Amino acid sequence: MAQTLLESRIMHAMKTILILPDGMADEPLAELNGRTPLQAANTPAMDTIAREGRCGTLRTLPEGFPTSSDVANMSVMGCDLASEYCGRGVLEAFSQRIPLTGEDVAFRMNLCTTDADGRLTDFSGGHPSEADAAAVIALLNERLGSEAVRFHTGVSYRNLLILHGRQFSPDVYCQKPDDNCGNPIAEHLPKPAPGFEENAAAQETVRTLLDVMTRAAAVLKDSPFGKPSATRPTPINAVWPWSGGRAGAIRKLKELRGISGAVISAVDVINGLGAAMGMDVVRVPGATGYIDTNYEGKAAAALDAIRTHDFVYVHIEATDEVSHACDLQAKLKVIEDVDSRLVAPILAGAGPEVRIVLLPDHPVPIAIGRHTRTPVPVAVRTPGETPDAVQTYDEIACPQGSLGHFLDAGLMDFLFPSVR
């Protein structure tokens, strides 16, 4: 029987591990003598990938879409944003296996900290423990929950608000909390999306979100979580819903590209995206989404997964967290930890037949602590392929490489061309 194109793709796909340190790209800094953190940090393993491979850039955040990690990682994964973008809330619900009907609108909801003047001082609420976050969500459900409004726990400050009913709409505009540290929340509230200002469902959704934010602040202020303590120095006294959407139709990786995949991450949005694409979600004990994550465990999991999968997507959140905190020394430390504790073991154990790809999903410059649309540096080490002249992995060297400048799904199209 003649072999189908899909069967041929599955048989001949090159095994590939993609390593993605979230938000790692940056810009030159005066305090680093005009170098970027990637240039200043000691990164021999990342430099090896660049030196033995080919380099270029990838635009992951096209105009017209939010500058958020769900958009960026969908680009890296090769999704068609125009037809498949569904919002971060939906992906995180997918990760938690929360069933969504066609009438549900799912929002990511941060637990946050504000000062006495209503300014956002910490978009992560001090990185609460899983137990504390679960207790906050339980309190909110008890005091504010209804058939139409439900809260769901996620990972630390990253939680969900799901609105149930046809009276709600995803056509609302919510700013990102991590773009607004130091700003008054009252000046950055949800509103109907452009073009939907007169839409009744959009207006009702905005009213509900504002009601939740106002009432949650009152509930949390009078709770034990709203006050600093010895074990919880940063209070949790506000919530910020954002990136809402309805479940859509994200295509499966095997159907689109004829390959099997696994995803390794500590955060729901990445695991949810992987699950939506039909990838196996590999849970690593001690993977926290922060600077104390289990790098070695993630490296071991990647090497194990590549034995049974064509494509393994290894996501690291810690680089993004310290970048949003504008903590330069922490960013340098995390970059070096990623290099020595994750990238180096993967390089040592992958074997000569495995292709290694390295890139962040978007920049988070320390100077501003926010995502930017600047294309990110890419390095691809392919067995048997002649390297280009790039010798170091960083934002200045990689654009000079022979891969050129990919757009959106272009990198994945290069690695695994679509079969349909």
Side-chain angles (χ1 to χ4, degrees):
M1 183 180 294
Q3 188 181 65
T4 68
L5 181 58
L6 177 59
E7 290 169 337
S8 175
R9 175 72 64 203
I10 293 172
M11 290 180 62
H12 297 101
M14 178 175 289
K15 286 184 174 289
T16 300
I17 297 176
L18 187 151
I19 305 169
L20 190 142
D22 200 303
M24 183 170 67
D26 212 298
E27 296 177 355
L29 294 166
E31 51 265 59
L32 295 177
N33 297 317
R35 297 174 296 171
T36 71
L38 266 174
Q39 289 179 303
N42 182 33
T43 57
M46 295 188 202
D47 291 343
T48 295
I49 297 173
R51 186 173 59 254
E52 297 180 357
R54 300 170 63 197
C55 296
T57 65
L58 171 66
R59 183 191 71 179
T60 62
L61 293 173
E63 295 291 341
F65 291 91
T67 58
S68 56
S69 288
D70 54 338
V71 174
N73 281 272
M74 288 182 75
S75 289
V76 178
M77 288 276 208
C79 297
D80 175 41
L81 292 172
S83 63
E84 297 180 280
Y85 181 65
C86 56
R88 190 175 187 129
V90 170
L91 296 178
E92 297 193 8
F94 206 108
S95 175
Q96 297 181 47
R97 299 181 180 178
I98 299 171
L100 298 176
T101 73
E103 296 180 351
D104 294 337
V105 182
F107 290 85
R108 161 71 174 275
M109 188 187 76
N110 282 36
L111 303 181
C112 301
T113 306
T114 61
D115 63 16
D117 296 323
R119 295 181 182 275
L120 182 69
T121 58
D122 191 333
F123 71 86
S124 67
H127 290 275
S129 67
E130 302 302 306
D132 281 351
V136 170
I137 295 302
L139 176 63
L140 293 177
N141 270 320
E142 177 187 342
R143 301 286 296 276
L144 308 180
S146 67
E147 289 186 3
V149 176
R150 298 301 298 174
F151 303 89
H152 296 264
T153 56
V155 178
S156 183
Y157 67 90
R158 312 170 187 92
N159 298 275
L160 288 173
L161 167 64
I162 299 181
L163 305 182
H164 303 277
R166 66 180 63 186
Q167 71 270 32
F168 299 116
S169 166
D171 298 312
V172 299
Y173 173 69
C174 300
Q175 296 189 37
K176 293 170 71 254
D178 50 49
D179 280 351
N180 283 288
C181 280
N183 294 334
I185 289 184
E187 297 179 7
H188 301 276
L189 295 172
K191 58 185 178 181
F196 291 86
E197 291 85 356
E198 304 303 320
N199 181 276
Q203 292 174 348
E204 177 60 23
T205 304
V206 168
R207 281 195 293 268
T208 301
L209 294 178
L210 295 177
D211 181 66
V212 165
M213 295 175 74
T214 300
R215 294 173 64 200
V219 168
L220 292 172
K221 177 182 177 182
D222 294 331
S223 77
F225 304 101
K227 306 172 182 63
S229 68
T231 58
R232 196 188 313 105
T234 303
I236 301 169
N237 58 13
V239 301
W240 189 308
W242 58 290
S243 194
R246 283 201 175 104
I250 295 179
R251 289 171 291 181
K252 305 297 184 185
L253 192 65
K254 183 162 286 189
E255 296 170 359
L256 180 61
R257 303 189 185 276
I259 58 173
S260 60
V263 62
I264 300 170
S265 177
V267 295
D268 281 331
V269 64
I270 306 302
N271 287 331
L273 175 58
M277 296 182 71
M279 302 171 71
D280 291 327
V281 177
V282 180
R283 308 283 182 175
V284 176
T288 64
Y290 198 48
I291 60 176
D292 57 351
T293 199
N294 182 3
Y295 295 104
E296 292 82 2
K298 285 191 169 185
L303 294 173
D304 184 60
I306 199 61
R307 295 187 301 173
T308 54
H309 297 79
D310 300 310
F311 177 57
V312 178
Y313 194 88
V314 187
H315 174 269
I316 295 292
E317 179 71 7
T319 34
D320 189 68
E321 295 292 337
V322 297
S323 299
H324 283 299
C326 300
D327 189 333
L328 176 57
Q329 293 308 310
K331 184 162 189 174
L332 293 170
K333 174 68 163 55
V334 169
I335 289 173
E336 293 183 352
D337 283 345
V338 169
D339 189 83
S340 63
R341 299 171 60 187
L342 180 77
V343 179
I346 288 176
L347 281 180
E353 75 283 1
V354 177
R355 176 169 54 192
I356 305 294
V357 181
L358 174 66
L359 75 159
D361 53 346
H362 51 69
V364 182
I366 283 287
I368 60 173
R370 298 193 303 272
H371 299 186
T372 70
R373 298 186 192 273
T374 303
V376 296
V378 175
V380 180
R381 191 186 76 165
T382 303
E385 190 172 80
T386 301
D388 58 25
V390 176
Q391 297 295 299
T392 58
Y393 178 76
D394 58 66
E395 305 88 343
I396 310 305
C398 286
Q400 310 307 314
S402 60
L403 289 180
H405 308 291
F406 296 116
L407 301 177
D408 313 328
L411 174 62
M412 201 66 173
D413 290 339
F414 167 75
L415 299 173
F416 300 106
S418 174
V419 297
R420 58 170 63 182

